[in-house]
Amino acid sequence: MFETAGCKGCHTLKDAGATGTVGPNLDTVQPPPSLSLAVDRVTNGKNAMPSFKGQLTTKQIADVTAYVVKATGGNPNG
């Protein structure tokens, strides 16, 4: 989902083999994202990041955000 949603084009995430430079490097962002923050960003966007509400299903948003949180060591309960 990270790749098919286009996240790879903007973000760096070693686990996904992504080297994008438009958005934050998810490997180094501190603190690592919580699940609630990741869901909010993907759903609503912020700054250069577009909203994916209406482009991705609720399940797709849940899948991609859970993956990002796990891959970055973020808080899956937050």
Side-chain angles (χ1 to χ4, degrees):
M1 179 60 17
F2 189 86
E3 186 170 344
T4 59
C7 307
K8 226 176 160 175
C10 293
H11 295 283
T12 293
L13 183 60
K14 184 178 179 181
D15 190 77
T19 58
T21 58
V22 175
N25 178 335
L26 298 173
D27 291 319
T28 61
V29 68
Q30 291 298 318
S34 66
L35 184 58
S36 60
L37 176 63
V39 169
D40 179 64
R41 289 294 186 271
V42 173
T43 302
N44 301 309
K46 185 173 181 183
N47 299 325
M49 181 157 170
S51 166
F52 285 87
K53 186 177 185 176
Q55 296 178 47
L56 300 177
T57 67
T58 302
K59 177 163 181 2
Q60 289 171 320
I61 291 172
D63 288 348
V64 74
T65 54
Y67 167 70
V68 168
V69 169
K70 181 178 180 183
T72 59
N75 181 356
N77 301 312

